Amino acid sequence: MLVTLFALVTGAPQRPERMQRIVDAGAEFASVPIEKVSDVGLHDPSKGHDYYTSTAVVRLVPRTGGRPVLATVELVTPDRPHTGGRVSVLYSPTRPGLGALAGDEHSLGEALEGATMGTGRVWIVGLAWAAGIVLAVVVLFTRRGFRSFSRLDHADMAVRGTCLGPDFWRRDSAKEQCLKIATASSRTAHFLADVAEEHVPDSLKGQHLWLCWDARRGADGGRLSMGATPAALVSDDGWVMHGMLKVDDAQMLAAEGVRVGKTVAGNGESRALRLWDPHSAWLLYVPPFALVLAVALIGCAALLTFDIAGVWRWVTGIAGAVVGLALGHVAMNAPYPSVLRSAVSPDATGPA
């Protein structure tokens, strides 16, 4: 969203109105004489070379002959312009009365071809988009692992346990939300998932289930783990919840764990599991204020499709970015309605 808004702000949705009229009438570049110069200003940027801005009256010659037409253009030149000099402009030889635009193929070529932005900006937007994709993959890897939403492998480990309910995994000053799982040997594992008391039904406590994890990741010098390995809770009711398991807990449970392949040995039928994410219910409910923010975001993006120039284009883009971030925050942190909580387990027999 942010990259899109940046592209809309820095790009041009269409050719400027005057350029479009000239193009429709048959535009050409030509070097024309300067009849008069006014409002000359010298600019000394902190980086780069000095340049002059000025307003000039140039003489345009019609293709069919006849009297030349005078047109006013805004010049940006490295040298001070003067009467009698020449400047490159874009105009229509068949209809010189439409006026002219100062510039040559280098400065006006991309706009003349209808490009929404220059080549340099295209590269910036493309690289920003690619960086966003890479960042998303990195975040997914560090928080969930690449296998968080994949099939359980027969080489993965599993242990039978009982859910004790939501709690926190703590170590020194670190603290993460989790579900505590007690195993038959009275060991306690911390299934890391962003859940709290209001996210799960009371019937989840005391349920017997399988705690599965990727035993190859982070153990015995195996794959990079960032201290945790992808894990999943699989209930007897047929739902599965994905999360993470600390490598220390995984190594502790390895002694009593069994291969996932052994837990399904002898079962000739494949069992369909229903993915359960306690936070997925927010898509069914958003506060009314979130809808207002969504309308405002769409409005900002729509305004940027018009030829708004100057500071107002940036104001609109920044406002859209702020509104979009606020929308994501409000939607993702919407309160979990009691009606949805009851829908998860309508008969209090377990999550659906």
Side-chain angles (χ1 to χ4, degrees):
M1 181 203 70
L2 294 176
V3 172
T4 300
L5 288 171
F6 175 79
L8 287 172
V9 169
T10 58
Q14 59 270 327
R15 296 188 185 101
E17 183 179 357
R18 176 181 287 187
M19 177 181 285
Q20 186 63 55
R21 291 200 304 266
I22 296 174
V23 169
D24 293 340
E28 293 183 5
F29 288 103
S31 178
V32 297
I34 300 176
E35 297 289 325
K36 182 181 178 181
V37 179
S38 61
D39 302 328
V40 179
L42 174 62
H43 299 267
D44 183 13
S46 57
K47 295 181 179 180
H49 301 286
D50 299 349
Y51 63 94
Y52 292 87
T53 59
S54 60
T55 302
V57 177
V58 297
R59 186 170 74 248
L60 308 178
V61 180
R63 174 175 294 170
T64 57
R67 299 183 58 184
V69 177
L70 298 182
T72 301
V73 296
E74 301 296 327
L75 300 181
V76 178
T77 55
D79 302 318
R80 185 182 181 92
H82 59 278
T83 302
R86 303 187 72 87
V87 64
S88 176
V89 299
L90 177 72
Y91 83 107
S92 172
T94 58
R95 297 184 60 186
L98 294 176
L101 294 172
D104 53 19
E105 290 85 348
H106 176 73
S107 59
L108 297 179
E110 292 178 338
L112 183 62
E113 293 174 358
T116 56
M117 63 178 64
T119 304
R121 292 177 182 175
V122 170
W123 275 102
I124 292 175
V125 170
L127 291 174
W129 177 83
I133 297 297
V134 172
L135 179 62
V137 172
V138 170
V139 171
L140 176 65
F141 174 73
T142 56
R143 293 191 59 185
R144 300 293 185 181
F146 286 138
R147 296 189 55 210
S148 296
F149 296 95
S150 63
R151 290 178 179 270
L152 292 171
D153 191 273
H154 282 207
D156 291 339
M157 297 292 292
V159 66
R160 191 69 172 169
T162 303
C163 182
L164 302 181
D167 202 342
F168 288 94
W169 172 86
R170 295 179 175 86
R171 176 169 295 177
D172 299 329
S173 59
K175 183 174 73 171
E176 296 184 48
Q177 287 182 319
C178 70
L179 290 174
K180 291 181 67 175
I181 309 297
T183 68
S185 62
S186 300
R187 292 186 174 93
T188 301
H190 302 84
F191 179 77
L192 303 180
D194 189 15
V195 295
E197 289 285 351
E198 64 270 17
H199 296 143
V200 297
D202 295 335
S203 58
L204 182 64
K205 299 178 182 178
Q207 272 201 35
H208 297 287
L209 37 73
W210 287 98
L211 171 60
C212 311
W213 69 93
D214 180 358
R216 295 172 296 171
R217 188 164 178 250
D220 299 329
R223 290 177 285 174
L224 180 65
S225 67
M226 303 299 292
T229 185
L233 292 180
V234 182
S235 80
D236 296 339
D237 296 332
W239 57 262
V240 57
M241 181 191 297
H242 293 280
M244 299 289 281
L245 187 68
K246 288 296 182 181
V247 171
D248 293 343
D249 283 2
Q251 294 173 345
M252 174 190 67
L253 298 174
E256 61 179 307
V258 295
R259 296 292 180 182
V260 169
K262 293 183 178 181
T263 66
V264 296
N267 185 2
E269 296 182 1
S270 60
R271 188 170 69 145
L273 298 176
R274 293 166 292 171
L275 179 64
W276 179 39
D277 180 359
H279 287 280
S280 65
W282 76 267
L283 289 173
L284 306 178
Y285 171 83
V286 292
F289 183 57
L291 301 179
V292 175
L293 292 174
V295 172
L297 175 60
I298 294 172
C300 291
L303 284 175
L304 290 173
T305 63
F306 292 92
D307 192 14
I308 304 174
V311 67
W312 289 110
R313 193 167 190 85
W314 282 100
V315 170
T316 304
I318 294 174
V322 173
V323 170
L325 293 174
L327 172 61
H329 175 77
V330 170
M332 295 301 295
N333 292 277
Y336 197 80
S338 58
V339 64
L340 293 179
R341 183 176 177 181
S342 63
V344 169
S345 184
D347 300 321
T349 59

